[in-house]
Amino acid sequence: MSKKQHDIIQAEVQKLRLREQRTEVSCGLQRTEPSAEQPTSNPPQRSSHTGQHSLWTGHSRWDSSYSARSCSVPRMQLQKDPLVLHPNPPEKSEALLRKSFLREQQLHLEHARPTVFQAMEPYCNLSFSSCLLPESVISATELELLTQNVVLAHQETCQFRQENLHVLRWETFSTPEMQSFHHKPMDQMWERCVCHVTDAIQYIVEFAKRLSGFMDLNPNDQIVLLKAGAMELLLLRMSRAFNCYNSTVYFEGKYAQLELFHSLGCIDLISAMFDFCHILGVLNLSEHEIAFYSAMTLLDPCRPWLQDKQKVETLHRKLQVAFRHLLRRTHREGIISKLPHKERLSAICQLHLEKLNVFQQMYPGIAWERFPPLYKELFISEPDNS
Ligand code: HC3
């Protein structure tokens, strides 16, 4: 690597670090692990007095410790999962990022091709816009840094390592075990699943926070994107934990068939989730691809109520170029046209909200009293006490 290249990289890494430090200081944020034992950073909350979201202040409903404490599902089931991955501390990950980035950069710069900035074909999925991307969208160095950032953010917050899930993928529930799930009262089964879902969403929030640019967005837009994207990202992550050869999903230590969730009383929703995972499962997405797919889904500039749509659009475009570049390098461009349309994802999320509504009508008060704060913050509006 020439001295000039080395200096450029140094400057970029330094810039990235400074930007992260600035964000942490301005938000009063110290990034920590999404473990239930130790609170993560103090994420956004909506003040019940003002109806405004106050970002990362005090103990909020987005705080993982707050959320886990309020969950009455036995902690054993939530926390002692042998597969749960505890991410690297940020300092370590930054060192790793730098090391692997420098190694990659060395390899990459030698073979750099101008194709990154060539025109992009229109994509039908993933909101790839058909516009030409000007070279000014992202420099080669920034592109590499962004790729490393997205991949690391995913790796560190993916909750379960792919190789560990793979080992367990034929471990399914026995008939008596299935029956015991069938006999569970609906409200208890909901509470149990909701707690697992919330736990998984805490990792998704952590993923968002580690994505470069996310913490630079204004608090309103961070909340808008997480509210709109959390369930969608959960579905993408669910596909990693899905065995499409026997249509089972990882749940409480084993792989569960669709029927296991019968007592939830919303098998059409679960079935739609399973179908979605099947479509993705067949594509055999790599961890890098899932990381980019997740980042692009989260940073979707088309979400309603964004205040600074332009800023999200810029981030999204950079991700688009970096993803495209990755696919080109790995000869996987063919997957783009096969990815499910984003309407499919939003339809499942809409169905989830409808089923939640039905549940709330059947069991008034239960969701509000027993579901974790983070889940309520994302999916339930506050009861009107007036
Ligand atoms: C099985 C599960 C969906 C998949 C969830 C996964 C495997 C997703 C990937 C995360 O990294 C880990 C994870 C945790 C929880 C898993 C969910 C628990 C329950 C849910 C069922 C499909 C039921 C969902 C029901 C409802 C109404 C809450 O949406």
Side-chain angles (χ1 to χ4, degrees), residues 264-278:
L264 286 167
C266 53
I267 214 67
D268 48 346
L269 166 66
I270 314 299
S271 179
M273 292 169 88
F274 272 53
D275 287 350
F276 180 83
C277 290
H278 202 274

Side-chain angles (χ1 to χ4, degrees), residues 158-262:
C158 65
Q159 195 174 0
F160 302 117
R161 276 190 208 287
Q162 193 58 81
E163 54 270 32
N164 295 344
L165 287 166
H166 196 76
V167 170
L168 280 183
R169 85 202 141 124
W170 300 112
E171 288 273 325
T172 48
F173 286 96
S174 65
T175 310
E177 285 171 327
M178 293 279 285
Q179 277 161 358
S180 84
F181 280 106
H182 284 171
H183 292 131
K184 291 212 182 308
M186 186 170 161
D187 60 326
Q188 282 177 27
M189 190 62 181
W190 260 84
E191 191 185 355
R192 191 157 168 165
C193 287
V194 159
C195 284
H196 286 298
V197 164
T198 309
D199 207 36
I201 288 178
Q202 276 162 11
Y203 283 86
I204 290 169
V205 172
E206 192 60 28
F207 168 71
K209 282 157 57 182
R210 288 173 189 227
L211 271 186
S212 100
F214 183 84
M215 295 300 289
D216 298 334
L217 297 172
N218 72 53
N220 172 80
D221 290 356
Q222 292 177 12
I223 291 160
V224 164
L225 294 176
L226 273 170
K227 280 198 165 201
M231 198 65 187
E232 296 191 0
L233 265 68
L234 181 106
L235 280 160
L236 302 186
R237 287 184 165 208
M238 179 175 166
S239 71
R240 301 173 69 244
F242 188 80
N243 181 350
C244 59
Y245 296 100
N246 60 4
S247 287
T248 53
V249 69
Y250 183 74
F251 178 72
E252 298 191 358
K254 289 189 182 177
Y255 273 72
Q257 296 92 327
L258 179 75
E259 298 74 46
L260 183 139
F261 302 102
H262 188 84

